[in-house]
Amino acid sequence: MRILRVVGTCLVAAIPTLILATLIVFMLQRLIPGDPAVAIAGEYATPENLERIREELGLNQPLIMQYLTWIGNAFTGDLGTSFQTGESITALVMQRLPLTALLTLMALLVAILVGLPTGVIAAQKVDTAFDRFLTTGATFGIAIPNFWLGMMLIIVFALNLGWFPGPGGVSLQDDPAGALRALVLPALALGLVGGAEICRQVRSAMVESLSTDYVRTHRAKGLSNRSIVWKHALKNSSLPFATIVGLQVSRLIGGAVVVEAVFGLSGIGSLAVEATNQRDYGVIQAVVFVAAVIVLLTNLIVDVSYRLLDPRIR
Amino acid sequence: MSLLTVEGLRVHFGHGDTQVQALHDVDLTIEPGEIVGLVGESGSGKTVTSLALMGLLDPRSSRIEGRAVLDGKELWDEKGERKTPRHEIPMAMVFQEPMTALDPVFTVGYQLMETLKVRRGMDKRAARAEALSLLDAVGISDPKARMKAYPHELSGGMRQRVMIAIALACDPKLLIADEPTTAVDVTIQAQLLDLIKKLSRERGMSVLFVTHDLGVVSETCDRMITMYAGRVVERGPVKEVLAAPGHPYTAGLLAALPSPESRGGRLATIPGRVPPPGDVVEGCIFRPRCPYAQDECRTEQKLIALTDTREVRCIRSREIDFEGVAS
Ligand SMILES: Nc1ncnc2c1ncn2[C@@H]1O[C@H](COP(=O)(O)OP(=O)(O)O)[C@@H](O)[C@H]1O
Ligand code: SF4
Ligand SMILES: [Mg+2]
């Protein structure tokens, strides 16, 4: 039952961050120039009209009340209605979120599948040609912008080789299998850079683990190299690994906005772009809120895994 | 037949111009059941000798020459590459630093059991039972509970006992103990020494006991080897050597030993320090620090037999009466 206690501890520890993050998201809307009421009613609305809209939105209440109302609604699944279309924002988000979630997960998978093995192998071959090749590659990899990589992948694998569909026309709801296929290139565009970063972190963590006294003890015991590297050294490197994977999640969510634009995917990133163009405050706020909750959840998972992976952390 | 025979062991570190020689033709033998002390100040080459025998020196930065046979098995070939897989060699090692020598993220039980699986091909149940009995054998109370403990939950002395249990799990005929009691306090030190002696006696296990403390040697060992700057400078039965050292360096170490009367007072120490590998010393390696050095010491010294059982690397050994201690 250690796990329940650990999750409980981490949840409690996450509460202040949650309050702070949602406060920032909430204030963001107040800080964006322009009056939401004007944005809804139009430039030429009568004062009475504006007043009525403000009242409807609760904009004339004290800020703290507005925040409490908003957060209460948000956590019970009501993200408000879009100024532009009058639709439920929750419905809008739920329609777009699955695609982005899948894209981000696939990208994370790409990043880990690329970064973890290469990092572990490089650590065993420190200062050999292979290691230098990999570290140099990773250094360049980190510097590649998502959109450029995305376009290159489209040109080579979609347009020239035709292995994957080109940009646009993906619907997870109508054609899940096709969507999965169409998400391969975007996931690569989004995840490869993260893979380079994970590779570097894993390499340096593994180099350190492999030079410790306890690894020497394991060798003295006669454990196989495979067991020493992939079990003992890797588990001892899991804290830096969990940290970098956690960081990647926030990076991937940010990167999804760009990659969705490049590949014409209608996920939550492109929803944010559309909402910004239309000054649809409620939608922007909702998207940022969802992103913040995902990042906080990720941190929570990282935090819990720290405590489960390293018995010294209480 | 000796359990361990080492002939002409040399270790080089580094490559090309920066290469240095850390061990110079070290010979040693250990008989079954015998406890041999390997003594010398810090930097004498005791740990390098131990690690070389264990095959734990990094092959990327070191080179081994010479011959070593343990229990009839060649440890490495002419190129210095391991000949017999490590888990088939009946040798184990306990390290100096108990705080870092155990894996922090695995339980004591796990680390013991995995050793038993690799070394003795045990299945999980057999390994569990044997792990419990090993923890008991090294004097750990409530072994069942300790199996689930992580190293950081144990004291230094306890961890060293766990290290000894892990070493025993290898079913060694030779145990190399590299300053196993340096990092623990005096009472624990005495307990660990007794434990190692007892285990050696009960199991007929030979021990190469590495220490810089001649007091520990006189309490624990049958024979002793004094090392200096990567060379053996003296060897013989502990009682004889300590009663009348044959080499000025052994005599110096002995004089530096705190006697019961002088405890707490200042120790006599040998002025100077051990020359690191790569330092060039003409003639006898100990000459720069030797109070008895003369012209004849300018030639390189060989190990010469003093008696049937004693050897010493000092040309003046027979002329000088070094002060010993009665025991
Ligand atoms: N991996 C290494 N590379 C270079 N020099 C080393 C290495 N390991 C030990 N040495 C040197 O070899 C000498 C003997 O060291 P060591 O065997 O650790 O001495 P001690 O007798 O204190 O155990 C020291 O001068 C040390 O600096
Ligand atoms: S040979 Fe000479 S210098 Fe060397 S230890 Fe003997 S007396 Fe001292
Ligand atoms: Mg040492």
Side-chain angles (χ1 to χ4, degrees), chain A residues 101-216:
Chain A
L102 188 60
L103 170 64
T104 320
L105 274 181
M106 285 171 68
L108 193 63
L109 202 66
V110 167
I112 293 174
L113 286 181
V114 167
L116 188 64
T118 50
V120 170
I121 294 168
Q124 284 176 268
K125 305 190 181 273
V126 172
D127 288 336
T128 61
F130 179 82
D131 176 41
R132 274 192 288 276
F133 170 75
L134 215 60
T135 11
T136 317
T139 310
F140 278 111
I142 288 169
I144 297 176
N146 284 330
F147 74 89
W148 185 83
L149 184 58
M151 291 192 307
M152 288 301 130
L153 289 171
I154 292 175
I155 292 172
V156 175
F157 294 102
L159 302 184
N160 282 344
L161 294 171
W163 291 356
F164 294 99
V170 178
S171 167
L172 191 55
Q173 281 82 0
D174 299 344
D175 178 12
L180 217 55
R181 201 169 129 83
L183 282 178
V184 170
L185 290 185
L188 283 174
L190 192 54
L192 280 176
V193 176
E197 228 157 289
I198 291 180
C199 168
R200 294 221 309 187
Q201 288 290 333
V202 167
R203 177 189 174 276
S204 70
M206 284 292 288
V207 167
E208 199 180 316
S209 297
L210 284 171
S211 68
T212 54
D213 283 359
Y214 55 80
V215 161
R216 191 177 61 185

Side-chain angles (χ1 to χ4, degrees), chain B residues 41-48 50 96 178-179 210 212:
Chain B
E41 293 161 291
S42 181
S44 302
K46 308 180 297 291
T47 297
V48 172
S50 312
Q96 178 168 359
D178 187 0
E179 313 221 21
V210 176
H212 61 266

Side-chain angles (χ1 to χ4, degrees), chain B residues 208-254:
Chain B
L208 181 62
F209 198 99
V210 176
T211 176
H212 61 266
D213 186 343
L214 281 181
V216 170
V217 172
S218 82
E219 279 166 37
T220 319
C221 304
D222 306 312
R223 265 191 321 127
M224 62 178 278
I225 297 170
T226 311
M227 271 189 93
Y228 184 76
R231 295 155 175 88
V232 172
V233 295
E234 172 157 23
R235 69 168 122 240
V238 169
K239 281 209 175 75
E240 293 175 31
V241 173
L242 294 189
H247 195 283
Y249 182 58
T250 314
L253 291 177
L254 203 54

Side-chain angles (χ1 to χ4, degrees), chain B residues 247-249 284-287 290-294 296-297 301 313-317 320:
Chain B
H247 195 283
Y249 182 58
C284 170
I285 188 74
F286 189 55
R287 197 167 55 89
C290 182
Y292 307 98
Q294 281 184 357
E296 54 195 321
C297 309
Q301 301 297 308
R313 198 185 287 274
C314 170
I315 197 169
R316 304 198 58 207
S317 189
I320 310 168

Side-chain angles (χ1 to χ4, degrees), chain B residues 256-268:
Chain B
L257 198 66
S259 61
E261 306 90 67
S262 76
R263 185 151 285 164
R266 255 188 68 89
L267 303 182

